[in-house]
Amino acid sequence: FFFNDTATTEIYTRSIVGSVRCVQETGINAEYMGIPRNMFIILLGLLNVVLSLNSQQFGLDPDTFRTTQEMAIAHGYPCENYTVLTSDGYLLLLFRIPGGKGEKFDDAIKTKKQAIIMQHGLLDNSNSFLINENPALGYLFADTGYDVWLPNFRGNSYSRRHIHYNPDNDKEFWNFSMDEIIAIDVPTIIKFVISKNGNEKVHYLGHSMGGGTLLAAASDDPEFFAKHLSSYIGLSPATSLAHSEFFAHLCYQFPVHFPFMTLAGEATFPWWLPGLVVKICTAATSICNLAVNVIFGTGDLINNAKLGVLLSRSPDKTSKHLLLHIGQQTHKHGYFHYRRENGDPLIPYNLHKFPSKSVPAAIFGSTKDRVVEIRDTRWVRDQLNSTGHLAFYKEVFEFGHYTYMLLTKDFQIYEDIIGFVIQNSQPLSQTNTPK
């Protein structure tokens, strides 16, 4: 029932029979290591399937385990990467797709284009906007004529570097929350993109945490962002998580005892886990979809064939403080600064200061999102509308948290997003000097 072919189902059936015998012989009655007996039998069966089949039999998607740059180039798009130094010593990796399919990089950067920054969410990375290759939102913007930038926040697998600290050993490297991303990473990325693109303004599209951090940064420094943003698009922007059904509460309850937490304070997973998850998702997409749906919410329009590509690099690495910070957003409505142990009470970001009169803003909410529940998205909408004007708001039915990246049909949402950016694109300056 769960698997994609008869042969795999037969292997699983034999595995379940063997697992039952094994459990009976070892005398496991109720549970093992906290796992219910029946669930333990199922997990043993799945593990045996993974060990029985090789990569060729699984038919892994070619994009599995590729970097952002490798994905773009493999699909015919020009792409290079840049390393950006933050004021506190982190080295962020940004990928750039300056032209459409078939264009050469050097030719593409000579053409004056508006830049759009597409920012990933929590435990994610720059790959996310390229996963669904036909169509993928990153490629669509490149083909439409935009200079596409895909940055990575500090701490994930692409931006796990610092000029002084070693992430493997130094706690100082992992001593950051969303506050540092909001105050340092977001404006640093925007300034760098402007320096390379040559235009004074950029468009910014953020998914989940990538959308929420921009709202907070612009609310703290509305003058800078009013000067440098042409538009803002938030796809289920993560701010208040008061109604988050599962994931955010998990962040709040478990990060200190995270099962794969390093002594330095890195929330990560063992090197072998992504490969195991990818193989399970490839052999049994229905099981994989069910698990992702329980945690994140997937909706009915997700491309199950690409779940393995998504999960080959996500969940990505981050700090325990960032996970705790996410969890603190579940306490009540509001978007709060990080409250460290014995620290000050929760101090809110004043999102009503977002310069929505100067920066056209669009918010998209997902009705089946379990991370940023639709009531929390409506809270963001109300904050931006309280003293300014939200230019566009849409609730997308049957969408989950990752549907924007893995959509299989009903591509009207992409037309809405790209149309909003085109509508708010400024005439290119004659002094524009792309680099």
Side-chain angles (χ1 to χ4, degrees):
F1 174 76
F2 290 114
F3 295 96
N4 303 335
D5 60 81
T6 304
T8 308
T9 303
E10 290 177 356
I11 293 175
Y12 177 70
T13 302
R14 293 196 300 270
S15 300
I16 289 294
V17 173
S19 299
V20 170
R21 186 180 299 114
C22 175
V23 167
Q24 290 173 340
E25 291 175 355
T26 53
I28 297 174
N29 295 317
E31 61 180 37
Y32 178 72
M33 295 177 64
I35 304 173
R37 181 175 182 271
N38 290 343
M39 180 60 68
F40 185 67
I41 291 172
I42 292 173
L43 291 174
L44 281 177
L46 285 173
L47 180 61
N48 190 62
V49 169
V50 170
L51 295 175
S52 298
L53 302 177
N54 57 39
S55 296
Q56 288 72 31
Q57 287 173 295
F58 275 109
L60 297 182
D61 188 290
D63 280 338
T64 306
F65 303 117
R66 280 176 175 165
T67 66
T68 302
Q69 188 166 348
E70 290 169 344
M71 290 171 69
I73 292 173
H75 292 285
Y77 289 84
C79 184
E80 287 194 2
N81 66 77
Y82 302 80
T83 299
V84 184
L85 176 65
T86 68
S87 59
D88 55 349
Y90 287 86
L91 297 168
L92 311 181
L93 193 63
L94 283 64
F95 294 95
R96 182 186 190 183
I97 304 176
K101 191 168 187 174
E103 289 190 63
K104 294 182 178 180
F105 187 91
D106 291 340
D107 294 336
I109 62 173
K110 294 176 183 177
T111 305
K112 295 179 181 180
K113 296 178 179 179
Q114 296 248 334
I116 180 167
I117 295 170
M118 306 182 72
Q119 188 62 57
H120 66 78
L122 174 68
L123 298 176
D124 210 346
N125 55 65
S126 52
N127 284 29
S128 59
F129 293 104
L130 305 184
I131 290 174
N132 204 39
E133 93 246 18
N134 188 27
L137 200 49
Y139 297 143
L140 287 175
F141 270 111
D143 287 331
T144 306
Y146 286 88
D147 183 9
V148 176
W149 288 80
L150 304 166
N152 290 278
F153 285 147
R154 65 181 64 193
N156 79 2
S157 55
Y158 288 119
S159 296
R160 195 177 175 272
R161 293 187 295 160
H162 194 280
I163 58 174
H164 298 304
Y165 303 130
N166 182 342
D168 292 330
N169 304 311
D170 296 331
K171 291 183 178 180
E172 292 86 352
F173 181 94
W174 299 106
N175 189 27
F176 66 84
S177 66
M178 285 190 294
D179 288 342
E180 287 74 25
I181 289 174
I182 289 166
I184 301 173
D185 288 13
V186 171
T188 298
I189 288 167
I190 290 175
K191 290 174 185 177
F192 182 82
V193 171
I194 288 173
S195 74
K196 290 296 181 182
N197 174 266
N199 287 299
E200 188 179 25
K201 290 191 172 186
V202 299
H203 298 277
Y204 187 103
L205 181 151
H207 173 244
S208 188
M209 187 184 75
T213 49
L214 187 283
L215 289 174
S219 299
D220 271 2
D221 190 358
E223 183 177 350
F224 171 83
F225 287 90
K227 181 180 179 181
H228 293 300
L229 286 186
S230 293
S231 70
Y232 163 79
I233 305 97
L235 307 179
S236 293
T239 55
S240 170
L241 298 173
H243 297 96
S244 182
E245 295 185 23
F246 177 80
F247 179 75
H249 293 280
L250 182 69
C251 290
Y252 180 67
Q253 294 175 27
F254 295 109
V256 175
H257 308 289
F258 199 79
F260 309 117
M261 186 80 69
T262 67
L263 293 177
E266 176 184 13
T268 186
F269 294 88
W271 62 267
W272 49 263
L273 186 61
L276 179 65
V277 171
V278 167
K279 288 183 177 181
I280 291 175
C281 286
T282 304
T285 53
S286 58
I287 293 177
C288 189
N289 181 283
L290 177 63
V292 173
N293 185 46
V294 168
I295 300 173
F296 301 110
T298 56
D300 298 330
L301 303 174
I302 199 167
N303 184 355
N304 288 322
K306 287 290 184 177
L307 274 176
V309 180
L310 171 70
L311 296 173
S312 66
R313 286 188 175 269
S314 181
D316 209 322
K317 307 170 188 295
T318 192
S319 77
K320 70 175 184 181
H321 296 290
L322 195 147
L323 288 182
L324 277 169
H325 195 181
I326 286 288
Q328 289 174 1
Q329 310 310 314
T330 65
H331 292 181
K332 57 183 178 179
H333 267 316
Y335 193 24
F336 302 99
H337 289 265
Y338 183 39
R339 183 180 186 272
R340 293 180 180 268
E341 188 175 359
N342 300 320
D344 295 330
L346 294 174
I347 301 171
Y349 285 99
N350 296 316
L351 298 191
H352 64 273
K353 292 185 178 180
F354 180 88
S356 55
K357 292 182 179 179
S358 303
V359 180
I363 300 291
F364 293 84
S366 309
T367 62
K368 290 195 173 183
D369 197 327
R370 294 181 181 271
V371 179
V372 185
E373 209 262 358
I374 193 64
R375 287 173 289 179
D376 294 322
T377 305
R378 291 169 186 163
W379 179 87
V380 178
R381 174 200 63 191
D382 295 341
Q383 296 301 302
L384 298 191
N385 267 332
S386 61
T387 56
H389 173 65
L390 181 62
F392 185 92
Y393 177 77
K394 184 172 185 176
E395 295 183 1
V396 192
F397 295 95
E398 304 302 329
F399 266 44
H401 196 62
Y402 280 106
T403 311
Y404 301 102
M405 287 74 180
L406 297 170
L407 190 58
T408 55
K409 57 183 178 179
D410 192 15
F411 299 117
Q412 178 62 44
I413 188 70
Y414 290 163
E415 296 179 18
D416 291 340
I417 293 169
I418 295 174
F420 183 82
V421 172
I422 293 173
Q423 177 185 345
N424 293 289
S425 291
Q426 306 293 324
L428 292 173
S429 170
Q430 296 303 311
T431 60
N432 172 15
T433 55
K435 300 176 183 179

